[in-house]
Amino acid sequence: MTPNFYLWLIPILPLAGAAINGFFGRRSSKLAITAVALVFSFAAFFMALLTAWGFSSAQAPYFCNLAHWVRSGTFQVDFSFYLDQLSLVMLLVVTGVGFLIHIYSVGYMWDDDGYYRFMAYLNLFMFFMLTLVLAKNYLVMFIGWEGVGLASYLLIGFWFTKDSAASAGKKAFIVNRIGDFGFLIALFLMIKHFGSLDFAKVFSQVTAWPTETAGVGTLTAIGLLLMVGAAGKSAQIPLYVWLPDAMEGPTPVSALIHAATMVTAGVYMVARSSAIFDRAPMAMTVVAIIGTLTALFAATIGIAQTDIKKVLAYSTVSQLGYMFMACGVGAFSAGIFHLMTHAFFKGLLFLAAGSVIHGVGGEQDMRKMGGLRQYMPVTFATMGIATLAIAGIPPLAGFWSKDEILWKAFNANWVYWLVGVLTALITSFYMFRLMYMTFGGEYRGRRAAQDLKHQPLDAHATHDSHGHDAHGHGEPHESPWVMLGPLVALAVLSLVGGLVGIGGRFEHFLAPVFEGTAGAELARQTAGEAASHTTEYLLMGVSVSVSFLGWLLAYVLYSRRPELPARIAHSLGGLYEAVVHKYYIDELYAALFVKPLIDGSTTILWHGVDQGVIDAAVNDSASAANHVSDAVRHMQSGNLRSYAGWVAAGGAAVIAYMVWMGVR
Amino acid sequence: MFHLILFLFFGAICVAGAVNLLVQSHPINSALSLIAVMGSLAVEYLLLGAEFLTAVQVIVYAGAIMVLFVITIMLLNAGKEEGSGGSRVAILLGIPGVLIATLLVAWTVLFHSNTRAVPLGALKGDPRAIAQLLFHDFLLPFEITSVLILIAIMGAVVLTSRPEAVARGPRRDG
Amino acid sequence: MMVPLSYYLLLSGFLFVCGVIGFLIKRNIITIFMSIELMLNGVNLSFVAFAAQWHVLSGQVFVFFVMVVAAAEAAVGLAIIIAVYRTRETLNVDRVNLLKL
Amino acid sequence: MTILSMSLHSLPSLLAQAQTFQSPPFADYMRILPELILTVFGMLVMVVDPLLDPDRSHQSLGTLALVGALAALASTFWMAQYPGTAFTNMVRVEPFSVFFHVLIIAIAVVSILISFEYLRVQRIRAGEYYGLILFGTVGMCLMSSAIELVLIFIALEISSISTYILAGFRRHNATSSESSLKYFLLGSFATAFFLYGVALMFGATGSTNLDTINQMLSAGNGHMPMLAYVATALMFVGLGFKVASVPFHVWTPDVYEGAPAPVVGMMSTGPKAAAFAVLLRVLFEARAPGYFWLLWVSAALSMTIGNVCALVQDNVKRLLAYSSIAHAGYLLVAFVAQPDLGTSAAMFYTAAYAAMNVGAFAIVSHLAAANERYVTLEDYAGLGRKSPVLAATFTFFLMSLIGIPITGGFFAKFYVLSAALKSNLVGLAIILVLNSALGAYYYLRIIVLMYMREPRSDVPVTRLSVAAALAISACVVLTLFLGVVPGGVLDYAALSGAQLVRDTAVAPVLEGSSSAQP
Amino acid sequence: MVPMNMDSFNPIILSLVTFIPAVGGLLILLIPRRDRDIKVFALVISTLAFVASLHLPVHLHRDPNLFKFEIDKVWVTNPNIHYHMGIDGISVWLVVLTTFLTPLCVLISWTSIHTRVKEFFILLLIMESALIGVFTSLDLFLFYFFWESTLIPMALLIGVYGHGRKVYAAVKYFLFTFIGSMFMLAAILWLYAKTGSFDFVVIQNAIRSGNVPGFEHASLWLFLGFFIAFAVKVPLFPLHTWLPDAHVEAPTAGSVLLAGVLLKMGTYGLLRFDVGLFPDEARRNAPWIMALALIGIIYGALVSLVQPNMKKLIAYSSVSHLGFVVLGIFSFTAAGLNGAVFVMLAHGVATGGLFMLAGILYERRHTYEINEFGGLATPMPRYATFFLVTVLASVGLPLLNGFIGEFLVLSGAFQARPIYGILGATGVIWSACYLLWMYQRVFFGQVKLAVNNTLPDLNRREKAALSPIAIAALVMGVAPMVWLSAIDPAVQSTLQAALAPVTQLAGKMVGQ
């Protein structure tokens, strides 16, 4: 049977799981919860595989129209799903990685009080994410779009008793909302100009439009606004600030949402809207520039971070930058390719980091780690693979995708390529730095037992999983297999995942989606002429060597001469400080937007306008009326003769008036 | 000529009396001057031929009513009125207004009341003719005045009699 | 020799006004009441004058009624004055101002 | 006309006397039947009074008076059967006068009912009290049906003098006598103006019969004698005083505050209604000239000053006094409108206002307790807690005074407004609207006090006597009736108004109708 | 599914729905002062009304006329006031919203009202009748009557059963709305004076056919007359200050009805009467009105952002949300109007729910101060969940009811005037800011005050009161077509009516 019939099932299944766990989880046993969560997420994964099996580019794209959702006048939006090569890729990634992380979470969260909540949230996230990727129109996509935001809000703030976690969740949601604002406006523009939000309808009309070479036309506006949305969701400049904080969430969440799937939604959306971007070169340029800058910017921050998850977070931001760079230069397929590989190795990295944290009893500061290689070999191995992959060491997954992007970028404009390469250098540097600091050298961490009490709940969660030694947490130790399994699986994927891209097979697979776009042209010409092959290999060599260079640097600084970094940092002084403090961007935003907003609203609007002006006006007019009344009533002096005076005067006035009337 | 002289003479008395009523500070003097006014008014009526009214004016008004006044003054032995602070409204608004109104009315009466000049005893108001009207045309008002008188009597009785209700019941003045 | 009725009217008007002014300036309640009587007298005169003007006797009858009313008013008024005097021991109208504002 | 011819011929001719000396026909007595009945019962009350023990006379005398009033009320029905003029054009029975008869007598009935309890509590002599109420009612009734200025004057005096006396009835209380004095002096002062106006009108037209006046005035088509203008002005002063319209309102608050509450309830509605009737007759039947802006300004001032002054009052009676000034202003708006619309609107307003205001004063006088001790707003605090029913009723009346729907007050305002708007008096209409918004404030203050403050323990609330309960419920019913199905009353008012105006168009209709049969 | 004979109700159903509560309220007078019976009775009555009102949407489509279930009887001949009722796709849902919220109000007031229970429920039910009447009446006079009738009960609910500066709040509420409505009365009377009828349809036709003498000069003033009355109720920006006070001091049920239904009277009036009668003026004045609405959206949001008092925060959020409604109405686009109506309903449910939740908290702690709480998610998880759902609905999360309306409104506004759409869309951000921040401060973090550790979670009654809200929020978000399919036709006809007179006016110009 073709996917048309059961397409809608794929998102619904996890929702069912979420519902069941959400409603009955509180009272049902952990095993039941686990069963429900895993079964439903696996079902989704299974359906996805089924779909992939039955998928034929000939019949693609598939539709599935569930029901009317909104209709007003001529404008109508349905619950309708859509499957083409692009969404298939996303589908597999989301369900696959998602399912693995579900398994991992079972081990990681087993002893948390909110286990059922966590599982329900995860399922809920799966539902929204799948809605997002399977949507047939922008509004349903927006459901997923906002929905994943909600899920991440809930999951980041999962340990809500921790203020930092709560505010991190809020921050994530609000920053995303700012992005969504742009997205919404884009949708309004589409409604205004195309009268529909359906991909097919919109794109078919767009292709009829001329390319907006000069100035900001409608399409450019739409593109830019979509990019705002994407920037919010995929943590690009200037809206990336929420992602690092999002690390407050449990590590599986960071892996699933803030590495593998949700944050890539922006990329997916831009790729999905390739038709529009294609007609708006200026928007494309903006996307490319933002992506490039973010890549470099985030990477530099990554250098100086000591929190293992923070490092990964910034590396995620930077990698996303790569993807946008790709989309910006029209290499959408390359972007998606990198998205996929990134999902593998970054997911892996996070899970491994989680396993490390779990192993050392909730410690996240790399300075307190080190020498874990002998304690947790599997974790080390898998994480190593992931590091090689992200660093772009051939033939691992990262290499292929990153190289593809750099090559496309070079064809577009060599500046992108240069920055990209630089970023690659930094990336491999801080990744290996992370490896050395974590696994190399001696174990620097104190025995976690005594400082458990002022460890965040993350520690509790993991600590409780070893209730047998109540006195605390002895040696660092390897994680249980329920957690290691997913690591291994992802490691394999990171190893071989890139091979699908060899010879542009992946690109050709996706080609129908980006048919007729500049990206396609680019693909053809770059694939076509043999002459440029030499340059291609040259560049490949450069990037690879750069990655090795980064590795070398890290090796020197953090394995051979561990005292050097401090000195370098000292010599750099202010710059280093700035980097450590993430260039004070958060502080800047606080000073620039948050504080003025709060203070302004309080003093000017509330106390000023509302109470000071409007209410005051009302009350004053009331008291004024009283004063007037008090004045007027003194007419009633109580003196008879003055009363008579009034009467007489009034009479006189009346007579005078009447006489005048008579004379006229 | 005779008519005019009489009119002017008694008119002058009226005016004098009226003014005197205002300027006198002791009520009794005012009362007396008022009597003078009424008396001379009676003569004015006579000049216009209203004999019956003249009689009634002298008997009822000057006679009965003013006596009532005088008695009251005596009863309450009202002395000279002390010059307590007057009322600004009355002086500043009332008097000027009144004067203006007076001028206007006077002007109207003089030039726009298209009244004619009349001889001495213009309209004979002898008792019979009056009675004719009173008991036929104005029968109803005449009868109704009895109610008025009745009320007046009741009022006088009620208001002047000492409130025995209070004498009986415990006195509770607010 | 005839006298214009307007003279009579003027006289009556003057009396009326004197009454009004008296009401305004006099302080003794009784005097004030007297000035009301003065006003009524003024009105009476103009009634009579107009009766002559229209040669209609009813004008004189009105005067009669006015007198009756005046008598009634006098009775009641003086009774009220006495009542007031009982409670306030004064005839000065300016002192009779418990009720005000 | 009659008067003119009569008096001309009646110069000494015994023949004429012979044929003119004839007692009026039966119909004429029917046309003043209510007045007769009231007078008779008034005298009965006075006769019976001395025969009873003054301690226990309240009930019986009150019942007697009540019976009389009710009989009079019933008799209006027969009166209505005999339309036409009586006693040589002294009074005219027509829907207009019937309407006001019913209204005024009804007011008297309710006031008597209220007085039952009040007199007992206040230890007031019942005989004269009820007598005066009945006689005063006679005066008011005559005012509404008289078409002869002199009769109007006398009737006016009757009603005024009786109210002067009633105002002073709390004799062991300085304020009461003071209010009586002020009312009396200013009242006679104003009456003198009115009388002077009558005189001048007589001078201008040679008659005091409204129809004749109308005829004479409209005879010199367009050109009116100057005297008529001045006369109108002076009469307006007098009547404006009676209806308490600015600038002749100054007496109202003091008098209302000092006078006994039931009397205030009566005199704020009865004489007012009568005075309005007279004003209507003078303006629309006699077609007095050039009053438009006069009333316009007076109405605007009355509304505004009344409401503004009421804002800061803390004595309920005084507050209601100011509110009555404001309502007089609303009423005058109707006078400015087109005669036919205005008349009906004004008549309806008088009725509605009577119903709600008497009701309000009924409650005030009940709560006032001995010697009217509890009449400040503070005394009403928490009434909703102490006696919900009473509070709810009072709230109802206040809502009616504000002009909330399903109350008579609403429709009253409503008709006035629509009359004004139909006559394109937009400015006045807006002033009215703003004022009723302003007025809402101080009525609301009372409601707020009653419901949203803690009750004061030192203010006792006695049980409601049967009579008072009857009176109040009657007022409620009437207000509600006028508020839910105002159609009937308004139609009657419209009819009589139209007739009033039409009659004057072809005046005088009923020539020498003293012998006219129904 | 509904048997045909149900149709026999159609002529009287409106009167039934309108007056069942009032009659019930009067019946309560007869019940002896045993609070429990009174509560149960009130609950039964209001539920009955709800069930009866469900007849309306079910049978709506069967009636081909513009106004369904119409009933037109003469009430007063002079002036000719008709008892003329009828509903269309717009008002029907507002009626149902009213009847839906009232039983919940009864439930929520079960224990929070101790004193003068009888009067409370009488007022509540009378209030309900008046509210329904406002939405059902087609005779301007009848409308005005019901409109005013909501005044006193609500003022009493606030002033008698409220807390804090209740009297100030009640008086403020009364005066604001009363003064506003006086202008409307004047306008209504003007129309009556000129057309001799109060009937909405008649007057509308008279105006359209242009035979109302002097209408050209008066129309602006008439429009403003109605507008002020409605703008106060909405409340639109400069006239909104009565709302926070009224809400903060009002008892829970009062707040729920106030926010849930009362404010909709204003927006409904704008839509039905201001736009319906004076479309030209409405379009002419749309720019500044939309500007005011925008100010309301942003201003309300910013002010509520910094409120230390939970209820005040919600109140200001209503100012913001109602701004959306006005924005939609005056965008004169199908989307805008549909959205406006939908926002009315959604806001009614969501904000009603928020107030109920706030009330529940107040019952436990007797304060609305946000600082008094914190970490409540630990002691009262169920409560926190309900609160979260409601907050999200109010924030406008897709698949919850808040989203559809806001989306449609904004897209409509955007089509009309892009800049308005864009500025309005910022509201999406603000709402997230203030609500989530409030949620965080109340529920997240460690429990600061020991008192809050022992707070009991929701009991069965409260759950019974809250679940309908949550369910409604979800259903409205997932299947809005149920509502829109009824709303859309009505909106379309309104829109045509509003846009038609241009040509007719032009025709008149030509004619002259």
Side-chain angles (χ1 to χ4, degrees), chain C:
Chain C
M1 174 59 205
M2 321 239 275
V3 173
L5 279 176
S6 47
Y7 290 8
Y8 285 98
L9 296 180
L10 271 186
L11 180 57
S12 77
F14 179 79
L15 294 178
F16 189 86
V17 171
C18 282
V20 174
I21 294 179
F23 198 113
L24 293 183
I25 64 173
K26 300 307 282 183
R27 292 184 182 75
N28 187 312
I29 300 175
I30 300 180
T31 324
I32 290 175
F33 191 20
M34 279 190 242
S35 31
I36 291 177
E37 295 296 336
L38 189 56
M39 292 162 75
L40 293 179
N41 276 286
V43 178
N44 285 350
L45 181 54
S46 48
F47 262 122
V48 178
F50 281 123
Q53 152 80 13
W54 291 91
H55 214 275
V56 173
L57 261 185
S58 53
Q60 303 188 357
V61 179
F62 303 158
V63 176
F64 175 74
F65 283 124
V66 174
M67 287 179 184
V68 176
V69 169
E73 268 191 358
V76 174
L78 293 170
I80 291 177
I81 291 174
I82 290 170
V84 170
Y85 187 80
R86 282 225 187 91
T87 51
R88 309 296 308 278
E89 270 84 19
T90 177
L91 282 178
N92 183 341
V93 73
D94 294 336
R95 302 236 178 290
V96 184
N97 54 0
L98 284 179
L99 301 162
K100 59 171 64 158
L101 296 180

Side-chain angles (χ1 to χ4, degrees), chain B residues 47-71:
Chain B
L47 293 180
L48 287 168
E51 310 151 357
F52 176 68
L53 284 187
T54 315
V56 179
Q57 173 85 354
V58 172
I59 299 164
V60 175
Y61 239 133
I65 299 181
M66 287 320 294
V67 168
L68 206 55
F69 272 88
V70 175
I71 289 172

Side-chain angles (χ1 to χ4, degrees), chain A residues 28-51:
Chain A
S28 48
S29 76
K30 280 214 164 69
L31 274 173
I33 297 166
T34 318
V36 170
L38 290 187
V39 164
F40 279 100
S41 54
F42 177 76
F45 180 43
F46 179 75
M47 301 293 282
L49 289 174
L50 210 62
T51 321

Side-chain angles (χ1 to χ4, degrees), chain E residues 14-207:
Chain E
L14 276 182
S15 316
L16 273 180
V17 175
T18 309
F19 290 109
I20 282 175
V23 172
L26 297 182
L27 287 181
I28 287 185
L29 277 174
L30 310 178
I31 302 180
R33 288 194 167 276
R34 229 178 300 103
D35 292 355
R36 205 172 175 305
D37 310 1
I38 294 173
K39 290 171 189 165
V40 173
F41 185 74
L43 186 58
V44 170
I45 286 293
S46 48
T47 322
L48 184 65
F50 176 56
V51 174
S53 72
L54 284 180
H55 177 97
L56 301 174
V58 172
H59 292 242
L60 195 68
H61 58 282
R62 303 232 181 118
D63 195 335
N65 307 333
L66 172 56
F67 288 111
K68 278 72 170 171
F69 312 111
E70 211 166 348
I71 174 172
D72 191 346
K73 302 235 182 308
V74 177
W75 174 17
V76 185
T77 51
N78 176 7
N80 89 52
I81 298 170
H82 286 223
Y83 176 78
H84 186 185
M85 285 185 160
I87 54 173
D88 63 359
I90 297 169
S91 37
V92 64
W93 292 118
L94 290 166
V95 172
V96 175
L97 175 68
T98 316
T99 53
F100 168 75
L101 283 178
T102 315
L104 306 185
C105 290
V106 175
L107 277 177
I108 213 66
S109 328
W110 205 266
T111 53
S112 61
I113 302 296
H114 319 96
T115 59
R116 293 192 269 172
V117 177
K118 194 171 187 172
E119 292 81 349
F120 179 85
F121 286 101
I122 294 173
L123 285 174
L124 200 64
L125 289 175
I126 289 179
M127 184 80 194
E128 184 185 6
S129 271
L131 289 169
I132 298 174
V134 166
F135 297 128
T136 51
S137 48
L138 284 179
D139 183 286
L140 284 183
F141 188 92
L142 200 60
F143 170 76
Y144 180 80
F145 157 61
F146 282 120
W147 176 275
E148 289 290 10
S149 316
T150 59
L151 211 50
I152 293 285
M154 188 38 108
L156 287 180
L157 280 182
I158 296 172
V160 179
Y161 300 91
H163 16 69
R165 302 160 65 216
K166 54 185 183 181
V167 175
Y168 172 75
V171 173
K172 202 171 176 185
Y173 159 78
F174 184 94
L175 286 183
F176 265 74
T177 34
F178 184 74
I179 292 174
S181 54
M182 286 313 286
F183 289 99
M184 177 167 70
L185 178 61
I188 292 179
L189 283 178
W190 193 93
L191 285 172
Y192 172 66
K194 299 300 178 188
T195 62
S197 165
F198 283 111
D199 194 308
F200 171 67
V201 184
V202 173
I203 294 177
Q204 199 178 25
N205 295 333
I207 290 175

Side-chain angles (χ1 to χ4, degrees), chain A residues 583-597:
Chain A
Y583 299 109
Y584 301 101
I585 293 295
D586 283 344
E587 293 75 358
L588 183 71
Y589 282 1
L592 225 51
F593 304 118
V594 183
K595 200 170 159 359
L597 205 62

